[in-house]
Amino acid sequence: AQSVAQPEDQVNVAEGNPLTVKCTYSVSGNPYLFWYVQYPNRGLQFLLKYITGDNLVKGSYGFEAEFNKSQTSFHLKKPSALVSDSALYFCAVRDIGLDSGTYKYIFGTGTRLKVLA
Amino acid sequence: NAGVTQTPKFQVLKTGQSMTLQCAQDMNHEYMSWYRQDPGMGLRLIHYSVGAGITDQGEVPNGYNVSRSTTEDFPLRLLSAAPSQTSVYFCASSRTRQETQYFGPGTRLLVL
């Protein structure tokens, strides 16, 4: 079955330090992978995506993610964390059905990032 | 563009009542979906649509109905509300299957 796993419920990092939020996936075929961020009482906002091409994807607000096919991972990274990065982060994969006319998105359970001043 | 809009923002229901959560987008997106967000569960897909007249079930469809008579609107109907349906509901849309999803601001539903 298709799935997305975010193994950490919460990640704490000091401001200015690099951060990593982990995501692994299990889908059939080539995955389309996404990261979204959710601030309190708001909807989800798109950060970045991997469709094909370069395994290192750069996105909004200085975030980047690395696609690793052999490890089926798509970890989110940022070289220097800011307090304002504190939020809930979701990894998602778009699963293409056997009939390419159907597709749906599967989300992980989310990781709460706390950046400490 | 207003993007993805959802109404109401907050609703309280009694067990057994029915209601419709509205979702609309003005971006001519073909793909629309409904999710519920519960603590520790992430977002779970309820129903989705790949175009007007085409809908399909997601992970947790029981107790919910959808229809897609126009490209713009994708209402979610709760047939007989239950306390287990207390959640935050998000509607999302994307232009094509390769595009990212845009999310609405959410509807917070409390079923007593």
Side-chain angles (χ1 to χ4, degrees):
Chain A
Q2 307 90 339
S3 65
V4 175
Q6 293 182 243
E8 302 154 317
D9 290 336
Q10 181 162 315
V11 170
N12 295 329
V13 63
E15 187 175 33
N17 282 4
L19 68 88
T20 298
V21 183
K22 296 179 180 177
C23 172
T24 59
Y25 66 90
S26 173
V27 295
S28 55
N30 293 321
Y32 287 15
L33 295 157
F34 303 81
W35 276 102
Y36 289 85
V37 60
Q38 184 182 31
Y39 297 100
N41 300 313
R42 302 285 295 275
L44 277 70
Q45 298 176 32
F46 169 74
L47 276 179
L48 51 80
K49 66 180 177 183
Y50 172 82
I51 304 297
T52 186
D54 194 346
N55 289 345
L56 185 64
V57 178
K58 294 191 182 297
S60 306
Y61 312 121
F63 284 93
E64 57 189 29
E66 186 167 12
F67 172 64
N68 187 317
K69 189 172 184 177
S70 63
Q71 297 186 5
T72 62
S73 67
F74 189 55
H75 300 332
L76 181 70
K77 300 180 180 184
K78 187 173 182 181
S80 178
L82 300 172
V83 172
S84 57
D85 293 329
S86 298
L88 188 57
Y89 290 81
F90 289 96
C91 180
V93 62
R94 202 206 73 196
D95 178 43
I96 305 172
L98 292 177
D99 169 7
S100 61
T102 66
Y103 55 99
K104 58 187 178 184
Y105 295 84
I106 302 167
F107 282 79
T109 53
T111 298
R112 188 164 301 280
L113 174 66
K114 272 195 165 181
V115 181
L116 307 169
Chain B
N1 284 353
V4 180
T5 58
Q6 291 183 238
T7 55
K9 289 185 178 180
F10 180 71
Q11 182 72 47
V12 179
L13 290 178
K14 294 181 180 178
T15 298
Q17 287 184 316
S18 63
M19 80 160 294
T20 299
L21 278 62
Q22 301 291 345
C23 174
Q25 51 89 11
D26 61 356
M27 298 173 282
N28 200 32
H29 285 177
E30 70 173 25
Y31 181 88
M32 296 186 74
S33 55
W34 276 102
Y35 297 89
R36 58 178 290 173
Q37 183 179 22
D38 303 290
M41 304 289 286
L43 272 75
R44 292 183 291 169
L45 181 65
I46 304 171
H47 286 285
Y48 65 100
S49 168
V50 298
I54 308 170
T55 64
D56 204 350
Q57 296 180 351
E59 305 169 66
V60 288
N62 292 341
Y64 307 95
N65 273 358
V66 292
S67 60
R68 185 95 180 269
S69 56
T70 66
T71 300
E72 294 78 18
D73 300 300
F74 191 46
L76 178 72
R77 296 182 187 85
L78 278 70
L79 308 173
S80 178
S84 61
Q85 294 179 304
T86 294
S87 187
V88 180
Y89 292 84
F90 289 101
C91 179
S93 73
S94 61
R95 190 167 63 94
T96 70
R97 63 193 67 188
Q98 294 188 354
E99 301 287 332
T100 61
Q101 290 189 94
Y102 291 83
F103 283 81
T107 294
R108 192 173 296 272
L109 178 66
L110 175 62
V111 182
L112 302 174

